[in-house]
Amino acid sequence: MVGNKLTGADLKHVTIQDAFWGKYIDLVDEVILPFQWDLINDRVEGAEKSYCIRNFRIAAGQETGEHKGMVFQDTDAAKWLEAVACSLNKKRNESLERAADEAIDLIAAAQCEDGYLNTYYTITGNKRWSDLFEGHELYTAGHMIEAAVAYFEATGKRKFLDVMCKFADHLCLVFGPEEGKIHGYPGHPEVELALVKLYRVTENRNYLWLADYFVRTRGERPCYFLNEDCIRNGNYIFPEFKDFDLDYNQSHMLLKEQETAEGHCVRAVYLYSAMADLAYEYQDGALTSQCETLWENIVNKRMYITGSIGSAAYGERFTADYDLPNDTNYSESCATVGLAMFSNRMFHLTRDGKYMDVVEKALYNTLLAGIAMDGTHFFYVNPLEVVPEVAKKNPTYRHIKTIRQLWFGVACCPPNIARTLASLGNYIYASDESTIYVNLFIRSRMECQFSGIGISVSQECNFPENGTVTLSVSPEKPGSQFTLAVRIPSYCKGAVLKINGKEETGTLEKGYLYLKRIWEMDDTVVVELNVPFRYVRSNPRVRHNIGKVSLMKGPVVYCLEEADNGKYLSGAVIDTSVEPQEEYDHQLLRGTLCARLQGSRIDYEKAGDSLYGEEKPVYKKSELKAIPYFCWNNRGEGEMTVWMREKE
Amino acid sequence: MVGNKLTGADLKHVTIQDAFWGKYIDLVDEVILPFQWDLINDRVEGAEKSYCIRNFRIAAGQETGEHKGMVFQDTDAAKWLEAVACSLNKKRNESLERAADEAIDLIAAAQCEDGYLNTYYTITGNKRWSDLFEGHELYTAGHMIEAAVAYFEATGKRKFLDVMCKFADHLCLVFGPEEGKIHGYPGHPEVELALVKLYRVTENRNYLWLADYFVRTRGERPCYFLNEDCIRNGNYIFPEFKDFDLDYNQSHMLLKEQETAEGHCVRAVYLYSAMADLAYEYQDGALTSQCETLWENIVNKRMYITGSIGSAAYGERFTADYDLPNDTNYSESCATVGLAMFSNRMFHLTRDGKYMDVVEKALYNTLLAGIAMDGTHFFYVNPLEVVPEVAKKNPTYRHIKTIRQLWFGVACCPPNIARTLASLGNYIYASDESTIYVNLFIRSRMECQFSGIGISVSQECNFPENGTVTLSVSPEKPGSQFTLAVRIPSYCKGAVLKINGKEETGTLEKGYLYLKRIWEMDDTVVVELNVPFRYVRSNPRVRHNIGKVSLMKGPVVYCLEEADNGKYLSGAVIDTSVEPQEEYDHQLLRGTLCARLQGSRIDYEKAGDSLYGEEKPVYKKSELKAIPYFCWNNRGEGEMTVWMREKE
């Protein structure tokens, strides 16, 4: 543990100029956020009604009616506000800010006298905190708090923050070990990491303490939830919850005893993120090492190559080590966001590049695959293999959508993708008192201060299409000493470093090249990362991928799609002894680097009609085209596969 | 169509002496039927209560209380009675017959004045016939009728038959096209084939007509079910039904327009069996050809190599052509029984051996795999690939049991397996006015009469371990002319025929070798069927089996099991250029012919810890042992796979 803490870059001080990422980020600012505002105000024709803002108006006494939507419908407003805050933090936008202020006024009006805030329980009059297992009150509080903190950081306006501090103060009175307080914790973790954020802006240690209480007591025996009415009497809000074991929400044992990632993936990674936050705040080595254990279990045994998690749809959950089916999996976009959050926190704790490898993998693959270029269609579930005719007729695949869906009812994923894109700067750079970390290779500029001296770092790159990253480092005052740490990804086959044209070595430690020197104005650091196409195989314990390969370039996973290769992709075999050839596709997503592969395919015309027989199929030589996974399903419905059979 | 109708052998006239099948048949008589009687009388400790007989006592006014169990709980008594009847038909058993008579007296007492019989509706007072979609009244009636017919055939006692005729007369008054009658049909087909059976013993054409009405009107627009309360008001007995489309129960279009097998498999094959019965009774060529179309769709596109059907657990249903996942499938034992019933009827209609090939496949593989040698543990679901650790932790597999289960609540499969084993004679032989068909090679003796002259045929064989089948043909009166038709299975690689030691040819037609001649006392026919081990591959449109093989000998499918081969069966590759070696295992199921295969396996000790990397796995040479699929899971829980990767 170091005393000199590492933090992510302040979004105010990062400007992203990247053409590739810019396309997505502009979508958030220009399309997604205005669209979502209309959506939660029930103004989008053809979309399911949200009732979200209407619920707040009813709770505030400005309108009469019943609560509608899910018990956690309030979080749609919260996630929208958080994404708006991230967006405003980068760039002012008056109309968005006006809408946000309007929403915040309404939220404040819906708050109860004692600080409690939740439209479902306020409107229905149901007993508060009576169903922590399913009621999502603390989960909802968490998203509200995250939004308030982000909005304060972006605008400096205190109103929302004050509302949420009042709520958090109320939570501190309601929950805790003292007699008369509730000794429970949330069914869906989220408030824990939010309370840490609230502590960081307010420095009120009660909030940190409450987060720690929730994490520390989770899983104590007898389990708190088993005494709640919903479980004792079978009065479930979500009847499907009744079949879930306690590991579904990570309350099957004390967290400090948990060594494998279990249960509902989003809950798990939100909870682990809070654990990493607590380890960071308390500089707790034991908690850090337990976070590492859980992270290693995910990344080395339970994560898809695309950076997604959740091998089963029922329970949207982790299953068993090395159980990674490619077609029946859940791989929710939100879980990938949570995995990136957890990994980024682990990087801040440990400065180990392996964590940023996973952040990068999650962002470049599953996160981007979740969103269509129109900004209004999304994947919640992200399979690695789809055959649409089968997915539509076999109900084992009923969670799979064969085309991206218009933002709908339970709107967790789209705003989660939006807030992640809007806060990308936070992942690209980090710094402590004397070191700037360059984590991701995205054309951008960041500014920070060391001992009162302003420093700027600009990146020029077109990664991973090209491995050359040019960094311009400029201290306000020439001759300043500080350290630049450039990530060398684990997949990189060698890197050459030049400073002002002269080859240098630097010090490589846990995936970072440390350059400690006296910097002059406009020093130029060029890092040549060798990132050719490469064939990647699974550990053979992953039974679904035996005999198969995937293609990657840098962090980007490629796939075969029907649009390029026709049907029956599982009948293709790749000859990996032939190097993949680069092929630039100017149409696909306005320009994308693809790959041409050599191999063979089953000749289905010669396949015959009988279902079982002694003949072997006939193969014919064939070329195949692979495209980045994040591009898939942008040319209509069709087959797709990430894992391809490999010629022996 | 021939006027000279073919029928299955009367069970009274078949004696099975086969050691292999005898083991199973004895289980039915000695263990299963007494056990089930205790079960439906709630006398088995540790088993879920059935309430079945108790419901009849309450309905009969002999006891007070509420109806308990499923709406179709009565069928447990019906299926037990039918299996008892099949058993008694072969061999008298006083204690079983006494118990059956006791049950029949109770059933008669529970019948309403007007003939109606159903304990659920009688006890609850719910409106009769108000929920054909889910209420299972006609389904229950069907099983009752089947049992009554079987009991009459076995014992000659009319009581049960008369009770069911009274009920069937009532059905004829309630259902039909006339005004005031219900224009509906059963949600779960079954009564149709039962009414045909009842017609055959009673010659009352009303019953045949009603069966035809149900089949003919099924799927008429607007669909009858959509006007029922359960669908209109969402008052579902089974809330999970609400997500099912009409194809779930084959009412999505008129049956005569249906060209693919859709929906719940058991419903489908029961319905198609009734269609085949009607085609047979009316000698209806169009209906016959439609049955052929549906049968071909199943067998050539939707059937597992083990003779099971049902590619999805949700809906227990057919999905899409060539969609045959090996681990997430349902493959219910009952559906295999239904497929055998349908195929046997198609054989009687067409005399085409391809239908008996499927009967044989179903019986030798999935039917037998369903039952443990203790007679009290069963599989309802029959996957072709299981990894227990994963099946227990991944809820996608929550329908899969990794060990056979004690007969439980919805007890459809065990009695269905029992009645099939008890009526095996019906599948082994068939005859018309002048031909005896030998369909299955099972050591046995059958008797029949041609023009008043008694004929007996005895089989000596140990098939498919050995391909030699010796038939002794004896007419009571020497010098009788008739035809013996011996099935030559499609998998047979040549057959040599000798009569009284002299090689002959016979006439081969649609899978049968016809021997029309004048027979003397003790004529001996020897058929040498060449049935070596063979490697079988799927049509490459079955994406789950690409690059894989299975091993068969005759109709028997083999598999690899952990008990012989250790874990990680998916890491094995078979060298199919080496012939499998016979290996007799004296322990396994009291003696079983196994096979030793050559190949290689991934060396997991050298596999490393990382989940994704560029290295290829290291293989080592290996021998593997394959056992018949019907033997699996008799040596504790473990991995199993039917399809094995094949060396290129």
Side-chain angles (χ1 to χ4, degrees):
Chain A
M1 274 303 141
V2 284
N4 178 13
K5 285 182 177 175
L6 185 65
T7 57
D10 186 335
L11 295 182
K12 274 195 181 52
H13 301 135
V14 180
T15 317
I16 294 171
Q17 302 139 324
D18 198 81
F20 174 77
W21 285 95
K23 282 188 297 203
Y24 292 97
I25 292 169
D26 290 350
L27 266 188
V28 175
D29 298 344
E30 292 159 19
V31 179
I32 299 181
L33 294 177
F35 177 75
Q36 191 187 1
W37 178 237
D38 285 343
L39 207 70
I40 63 178
N41 277 283
D42 303 325
R43 293 192 293 243
V44 177
E45 234 173 288
E48 225 174 295
K49 276 210 194 306
S50 152
Y51 304 109
C52 175
I53 292 298
R54 181 175 168 279
N55 288 335
F56 279 103
R57 278 203 301 273
I58 295 169
Q62 299 173 5
E63 195 173 319
T64 55
E66 289 178 3
H67 182 276
K68 288 189 180 168
M70 308 295 275
V71 290
F72 48 78
Q73 204 73 1
D74 293 0
T75 59
D76 279 8
K79 287 175 180 171
W80 177 75
L81 279 163
E82 187 186 353
V84 167
C86 296
S87 173
L88 296 178
N89 210 344
K90 294 176 299 149
K91 196 169 68 181
R92 298 302 294 256
N93 177 324
E94 277 187 32
S95 78
L96 267 183
E97 190 165 339
R98 207 164 35 239
D101 286 334
E102 188 186 311
I104 289 164
D105 288 343
L106 186 59
I107 288 168
Q111 186 169 38
C112 299
E113 201 58 43
D114 60 0
Y116 182 84
L117 178 61
N118 182 301
T119 72
Y120 174 77
Y121 282 89
T122 301
I123 297 172
T124 60
N126 289 358
K127 194 176 167 208
R128 295 179 187 176
W129 317 119
S130 62
D131 188 354
L132 297 186
F133 186 61
E134 304 175 295
H136 286 76
E137 279 163 293
L138 288 165
Y139 168 81
T140 303
H143 275 301
M144 285 288 186
I145 292 170
E146 280 203 274
V149 170
Y151 201 71
F152 170 71
E153 284 176 336
T155 63
K157 295 180 184 171
R158 289 203 60 97
K159 181 168 184 173
F160 194 13
L161 188 69
D162 289 341
V163 165
M164 294 317 297
C165 284
K166 191 173 166 189
F167 191 11
D169 293 338
H170 178 71
L171 296 181
C172 292
L173 292 176
V174 171
F175 292 92
E178 297 88 350
E179 216 182 292
K181 289 189 176 180
I182 297 173
H183 309 323
Y185 40 84
H188 194 316
E190 155 64 26
V191 74
E192 300 87 338
L193 69 88
L195 285 166
V196 176
K197 283 188 175 178
L198 191 61
Y199 154 71
R200 285 176 185 162
V201 291
T202 62
E203 296 184 1
N204 180 339
R205 293 191 70 85
N206 291 340
Y207 305 151
L208 183 63
W209 189 90
L210 185 59
D212 185 50
Y213 174 75
F214 285 144
V215 169
R216 226 176 335 110
T217 56
R218 189 172 201 91
E220 270 183 357
R221 292 279 83 88
C223 179
Y224 176 81
F225 297 128
L226 297 182
N227 247 330
E228 290 198 309
D229 273 0
C230 71
I231 292 188
R232 279 195 303 131
N233 308 332
N235 300 326
Y236 289 90
I237 299 176
F238 302 96
E240 64 271 29
F241 276 42
K242 75 175 180 350
D243 293 330
F244 294 154
D245 287 332
L246 292 173
D247 66 355
Y248 171 72
N249 69 14
Q250 299 81 38
S251 63
H252 53 302
M253 57 173 79
L254 282 175
L255 271 165
K256 67 180 179 192
E257 294 164 354
Q258 296 185 24
E259 293 185 348
T260 53
E262 301 295 345
H264 186 260
C265 292
V266 175
R267 287 168 209 242
V269 286
Y270 281 14
L271 179 63
Y272 305 157
S273 294
M275 283 168 69
D277 283 339
L278 291 166
Y280 183 96
E281 293 302 332
Y282 290 117
Q283 294 290 297
D284 181 335
L287 196 53
T288 302
S289 110
Q290 209 219 330
C291 287
E292 280 174 333
T293 300
L294 289 165
W295 188 90
E296 295 284 351
N297 178 247
I298 294 174
V299 169
N300 291 326
K301 294 181 176 165
R302 301 183 174 203
M303 181 185 73
Y304 287 90
I305 194 168
T306 51
S308 69
I309 47 179
S311 300
Y314 187 78
E316 305 168 358
R317 62 179 293 155
F318 291 110
T319 58
D321 287 348
Y322 304 110
D323 178 41
L324 295 161
N326 293 306
D327 56 348
T328 57
N329 55 318
Y330 203 71
S331 290
E332 188 182 347
S333 299
C334 283
T336 286
V337 167
L339 180 61
M341 282 161 41
F342 177 35
S343 302
N344 199 34
R345 282 163 168 80
M346 291 306 294
F347 165 66
H348 291 159
L349 257 175
T350 63
R351 299 163 196 250
D352 192 329
K354 69 182 178 183
Y355 295 110
M356 288 314 298
D357 285 350
V358 169
V359 168
E360 192 187 42
K361 183 186 268 289
L363 297 179
Y364 276 89
N365 298 294
T366 301
L367 186 92
L368 292 186
I371 183 171
M373 287 313 294
D374 67 358
T376 60
H377 289 77
F378 294 84
F379 277 134
Y380 292 61
V381 171
N382 296 280
L384 279 76
E385 180 183 333
V386 176
V387 178
E389 296 96 289
V390 172
K392 286 192 271 190
K393 289 212 70 182
N394 182 336
T396 305
Y397 304 105
R398 62 196 184 280
H399 59 290
I400 302 284
K401 303 295 175 196
T402 56
I403 45 166
R404 288 182 187 79
Q405 302 292 295
L406 189 70
W407 199 325
F408 55 76
V410 178
C412 52
C413 298
N416 230 342
I417 294 173
R419 70 170 177 160
T420 306
L421 288 167
S423 60
L424 195 63
N426 211 288
Y427 292 99
I428 307 176
Y429 299 102
S431 62
D432 61 16
E433 283 171 14
S434 60
T435 308
I436 296 172
Y437 284 82
V438 178
N439 300 319
L440 302 177
F441 308 111
I442 293 174
R443 194 168 167 255
S444 59
R445 177 186 163 87
M446 81 86 83
E447 283 159 6
C448 66
Q449 288 211 336
F450 288 143
S451 319
I453 298 162
I455 317 279
S456 85
V457 175
S458 292
Q459 277 196 69
E460 284 292 337
C461 59
N462 183 23
F463 189 82
E465 285 190 16
N466 185 303
T468 307
V469 178
T470 304
L471 299 161
S472 304
V473 182
S474 279
E476 232 172 24
K477 196 177 124 198
S480 301
Q481 177 171 314
F482 59 90
T483 305
L484 185 72
V486 181
R487 177 170 153 263
I488 308 297
S490 63
Y491 52 74
C492 179
K493 297 173 187 298
V496 178
L497 168 72
K498 283 183 188 162
I499 302 183
N500 299 326
K502 194 171 152 251
E503 208 160 302
E504 305 255 355
T505 50
T507 311
L508 191 67
E509 200 186 325
K510 292 200 284 188
Y512 280 85
L513 194 60
Y514 285 85
L515 310 173
K516 181 174 180 177
R517 65 195 296 274
I518 293 163
W519 298 89
E520 305 298 335
M521 293 279 289
D522 294 322
D523 273 348
T524 301
V525 177
V526 175
V527 187
E528 299 275 3
L529 300 169
N530 184 14
V531 285
F533 279 117
R534 66 190 190 284
Y535 285 112
V536 178
R537 296 166 187 90
S538 285
N539 188 303
R541 295 178 185 92
V542 182
R543 68 192 172 103
H544 294 96
N545 296 344
I546 291 177
K548 296 184 175 178
V549 279
S550 63
L551 179 71
M552 292 186 76
K553 184 171 169 62
V556 175
V557 175
Y558 279 68
C559 68
L560 301 179
E561 222 189 5
E562 184 176 332
D564 303 302
N565 303 295
K567 280 190 189 301
Y568 296 125
L569 297 179
S570 35
V573 176
I574 307 299
D575 181 352
T576 53
S577 69
V578 182
E579 292 279 308
Q581 294 302 306
E582 293 196 355
E583 178 175 308
Y584 200 83
D585 184 327
H586 292 272
Q587 261 67 56
L588 184 61
L589 252 63
R590 305 181 221 161
T592 300
L593 184 68
C594 300
R596 189 146 291 273
L597 314 180
Q598 299 304 315
S600 57
R601 302 184 67 168
I602 291 172
D603 188 343
Y604 282 91
E605 286 177 14
K606 298 189 180 146
D609 289 330
S610 69
L611 187 51
Y612 302 108
E614 295 184 45
E615 325 71 51
K616 290 187 182 186
V618 178
Y619 282 80
K620 55 183 181 187
K621 265 186 83 77
S622 178
E623 279 200 335
L624 292 127
K625 179 177 172 182
I627 65 164
Y629 176 74
F630 63 75
C631 291
W632 91 277
N633 204 259
N634 274 293
R635 294 168 298 175
E637 190 177 84
E639 286 190 29
M640 181 276 291
T641 190
V642 166
W643 291 97
M644 308 169 282
R645 276 196 308 140
E646 180 176 12
K647 193 179 160 199
E648 264 175 38
Chain B
M1 273 306 136
V2 283
N4 178 12
K5 284 183 181 176
L6 186 64
T7 56
D10 186 333
L11 295 184
K12 272 193 184 51
H13 302 134
V14 179
T15 316
I16 294 171
Q17 302 137 324
D18 199 81
F20 175 78
W21 285 96
K23 281 188 296 198
Y24 293 97
I25 292 169
D26 290 349
L27 266 188
V28 174
D29 298 344
E30 292 159 18
V31 179
I32 300 181
L33 293 177
F35 178 75
Q36 192 187 359
W37 178 238
D38 285 342
L39 208 70
I40 62 179
N41 277 284
D42 303 324
R43 294 192 292 243
V44 177
E45 234 174 287
E48 226 175 293
K49 276 210 193 305
S50 152
Y51 305 108
C52 176
I53 293 296
R54 183 177 167 275
N55 288 334
F56 279 102
R57 278 203 302 270
I58 297 170
Q62 300 173 3
E63 194 176 319
T64 56
E66 289 178 3
H67 182 275
K68 286 189 182 169
M70 307 297 274
V71 289
F72 47 78
Q73 206 72 3
D74 293 0
T75 58
D76 278 9
K79 288 174 179 170
W80 176 75
L81 279 163
E82 187 185 353
V84 167
C86 297
S87 172
L88 295 178
N89 210 346
K90 293 177 298 147
K91 196 170 66 180
R92 298 302 295 255
N93 177 326
E94 277 188 29
S95 77
L96 267 182
E97 190 166 339
R98 205 163 39 239
D101 285 335
E102 187 187 312
I104 289 164
D105 288 343
L106 186 59
I107 289 169
Q111 186 169 36
C112 299
E113 201 59 43
D114 61 0
Y116 181 85
L117 178 60
N118 182 302
T119 71
Y120 175 78
Y121 282 89
T122 302
I123 299 174
T124 61
N126 288 357
K127 194 177 167 207
R128 293 177 187 177
W129 317 119
S130 61
D131 187 355
L132 297 187
F133 187 61
E134 303 174 294
H136 286 76
E137 277 164 295
L138 287 167
Y139 167 82
T140 303
H143 275 300
M144 286 287 187
I145 292 170
E146 280 203 274
V149 171
Y151 200 71
F152 170 71
E153 286 176 335
T155 63
K157 295 181 185 170
R158 286 203 63 96
K159 179 166 186 175
F160 194 13
L161 188 70
D162 289 340
V163 166
M164 294 318 298
C165 284
K166 189 171 168 190
F167 191 10
D169 293 339
H170 178 70
L171 295 181
C172 292
L173 291 176
V174 171
F175 292 92
E178 298 88 350
E179 217 180 291
K181 289 191 178 181
I182 297 173
H183 308 323
Y185 39 85
H188 194 315
E190 153 64 28
V191 75
E192 300 88 338
L193 70 88
L195 285 166
V196 177
K197 284 188 175 179
L198 192 60
Y199 154 71
R200 287 178 184 161
V201 291
T202 62
E203 295 183 4
N204 181 339
R205 291 192 72 85
N206 290 340
Y207 305 152
L208 183 65
W209 189 91
L210 184 59
D212 186 52
Y213 173 75
F214 285 145
V215 168
R216 227 178 331 109
T217 55
R218 190 171 200 90
E220 268 184 357
R221 293 279 82 89
C223 179
Y224 176 81
F225 297 128
L226 297 181
N227 247 330
E228 290 198 309
D229 274 359
C230 71
I231 291 189
R232 278 195 304 129
N233 308 331
N235 299 327
Y236 289 91
I237 299 175
F238 302 96
E240 64 272 27
F241 276 43
K242 76 176 180 351
D243 293 330
F244 295 153
D245 287 333
L246 291 173
D247 65 355
Y248 170 72
N249 69 15
Q250 301 82 36
S251 63
H252 53 302
M253 57 174 77
L254 283 174
L255 271 166
K256 66 179 181 193
E257 294 164 356
Q258 295 185 26
E259 294 186 346
T260 53
E262 302 294 344
H264 186 259
C265 292
V266 174
R267 286 167 209 244
V269 287
Y270 281 14
L271 178 63
Y272 306 157
S273 294
M275 285 168 68
D277 282 338
L278 291 166
Y280 183 98
E281 293 302 334
Y282 291 116
Q283 293 288 300
D284 180 335
L287 196 54
T288 302
S289 112
Q290 210 218 330
C291 287
E292 280 174 334
T293 300
L294 289 165
W295 188 89
E296 293 284 351
N297 178 248
I298 294 175
V299 170
N300 291 326
K301 294 180 178 167
R302 301 182 174 204
M303 181 185 71
Y304 286 90
I305 193 167
T306 50
S308 69
I309 46 178
S311 300
Y314 187 80
E316 306 168 356
R317 64 180 290 156
F318 291 111
T319 59
D321 287 347
Y322 303 111
D323 179 41
L324 295 161
N326 293 305
D327 56 349
T328 58
N329 54 319
Y330 203 69
S331 290
E332 188 182 348
S333 300
C334 283
T336 287
V337 167
L339 179 61
M341 282 162 42
F342 178 34
S343 302
N344 197 37
R345 283 163 166 80
M346 291 306 294
F347 164 67
H348 291 160
L349 256 174
T350 63
R351 298 163 197 249
D352 192 329
K354 69 182 177 182
Y355 296 110
M356 287 316 296
D357 284 350
V358 169
V359 168
E360 190 186 43
K361 185 187 267 287
L363 297 180
Y364 275 88
N365 298 295
T366 301
L367 185 92
L368 291 187
I371 184 172
M373 287 313 293
D374 67 358
T376 60
H377 289 78
F378 295 85
F379 276 135
Y380 293 61
V381 171
N382 296 281
L384 281 74
E385 180 184 332
V386 176
V387 178
E389 295 96 290
V390 171
K392 286 191 271 189
K393 289 212 69 179
N394 182 336
T396 305
Y397 305 105
R398 62 195 183 281
H399 58 292
I400 303 283
K401 302 295 175 198
T402 55
I403 44 168
R404 288 182 186 79
Q405 302 290 296
L406 189 70
W407 198 327
F408 54 76
V410 179
C412 51
C413 298
N416 230 340
I417 295 174
R419 69 169 177 162
T420 307
L421 288 168
S423 59
L424 194 64
N426 213 286
Y427 294 100
I428 306 176
Y429 299 102
S431 62
D432 61 18
E433 283 170 13
S434 60
T435 308
I436 297 173
Y437 284 81
V438 177
N439 301 318
L440 302 178
F441 309 111
I442 293 174
R443 194 166 169 258
S444 59
R445 175 186 164 89
M446 81 86 85
E447 283 159 4
C448 66
Q449 288 211 335
F450 288 142
S451 318
I453 298 162
I455 315 280
S456 85
V457 175
S458 291
Q459 276 195 70
E460 283 292 336
C461 59
N462 183 23
F463 190 81
E465 284 188 19
N466 185 302
T468 306
V469 177
T470 304
L471 300 162
S472 305
V473 183
S474 279
E476 233 171 23
K477 193 178 128 200
S480 301
Q481 177 170 314
F482 58 89
T483 305
L484 185 72
V486 181
R487 177 170 152 261
I488 307 296
S490 62
Y491 51 74
C492 179
K493 298 173 187 298
V496 177
L497 167 72
K498 283 184 189 160
I499 302 183
N500 299 327
K502 191 169 155 252
E503 208 159 304
E504 303 256 357
T505 50
T507 311
L508 191 66
E509 199 185 326
K510 292 201 282 188
Y512 279 83
L513 194 60
Y514 286 86
L515 310 174
K516 182 174 180 178
R517 66 196 294 275
I518 293 164
W519 298 90
E520 305 298 336
M521 290 282 287
D522 295 320
D523 273 347
T524 301
V525 177
V526 176
V527 187
E528 298 274 1
L529 300 168
N530 184 13
V531 285
F533 279 116
R534 66 191 190 280
Y535 284 111
V536 178
R537 296 165 188 88
S538 283
N539 189 304
R541 294 178 186 92
V542 181
R543 66 192 174 101
H544 293 95
N545 295 343
I546 291 176
K548 296 183 175 178
V549 281
S550 63
L551 178 72
M552 292 185 75
K553 183 171 170 63
V556 175
V557 175
Y558 279 68
C559 67
L560 301 180
E561 220 188 8
E562 185 177 331
D564 303 303
N565 303 293
K567 280 190 189 300
Y568 295 125
L569 297 179
S570 36
V573 176
I574 307 299
D575 181 351
T576 53
S577 70
V578 182
E579 292 280 309
Q581 295 302 306
E582 293 197 355
E583 179 176 309
Y584 201 81
D585 184 328
H586 293 271
Q587 260 68 56
L588 186 61
L589 250 64
R590 304 182 221 161
T592 300
L593 183 68
C594 301
R596 188 147 293 273
L597 313 179
Q598 298 304 314
S600 57
R601 302 185 67 170
I602 292 173
D603 187 344
Y604 283 91
E605 285 177 15
K606 296 189 179 144
D609 290 329
S610 70
L611 187 52
Y612 302 108
E614 296 183 44
E615 324 73 50
K616 290 187 183 186
V618 177
Y619 282 80
K620 55 182 179 187
K621 265 187 85 75
S622 178
E623 279 200 336
L624 292 129
K625 179 178 171 181
I627 65 164
Y629 176 73
F630 63 73
C631 290
W632 91 277
N633 204 259
N634 274 294
R635 294 169 297 175
E637 189 176 85
E639 286 190 27
M640 181 276 291
T641 191
V642 166
W643 291 97
M644 309 169 282
R645 278 195 307 138
E646 181 176 13
K647 193 180 163 200
E648 263 177 37

